[in-house]
Amino acid sequence: MTGTGDEPFIAAVKPLVDAMGGEILPPDEAGPEDVVLSWEGADVVAVRLPQLADSLDHILAAMERRKGKPLADLDRKAKQEVVRILEARGAFSVRHGVETVAGALGVSRFTVYNYLNREKDA
């Protein structure tokens, strides 16, 4: 991608970029919405961040991997915990976020709203 001294830097940021669902590009291919990362005064790599809706899908997939099973197979308490985590990460500010999360959890939108309201009342 770039000079040989840059590989440790790229290797260091790659797990973060992957966790966000981003894409690593050469800095000269960066678009106006991309984030260019510099190291020791030189542009090393560009990061293309995902659209918010894609990020939510990526977050849900990562949560499934962490839980070791489909989110729909979790018990009610675990699903409530997932909703809490997703709310903290801004999942419900994304258009159709509640619907997307409800589908992943195998519950209705109403149930997701109940989980959210239960947190606010606690």
Side-chain angles (χ1 to χ4, degrees), residues 9-20:
F9 178 79
I10 294 168
V13 299
K14 186 172 181 346
L16 176 62
V17 173
D18 290 347
M20 294 184 317

Side-chain angles (χ1 to χ4, degrees), residues 42-112:
D43 292 345
V44 176
V45 68
V47 177
R48 181 160 295 155
L49 299 173
Q51 298 299 312
L52 284 176
D54 295 338
S55 289
L56 180 53
D57 290 338
H58 193 79
I59 290 167
L60 289 167
M63 291 185 91
E64 278 197 347
R65 283 191 303 276
R66 204 170 306 128
K67 298 287 185 185
K69 60 180 162 181
L71 297 177
D73 293 348
L74 298 175
D75 63 27
R76 184 173 60 88
K77 184 176 169 118
K79 288 178 182 182
Q80 290 172 334
E81 177 189 347
V82 166
V83 168
R84 248 191 326 274
I85 292 166
L86 291 171
E87 182 180 29
R89 294 187 72 178
F92 302 110
S93 63
V94 176
R95 186 173 181 187
H96 303 297
V98 170
E99 292 87 346
T100 301
V101 171
L105 292 175
V107 299
S108 68
R109 289 181 349 190
F110 180 76
T111 299
V112 172

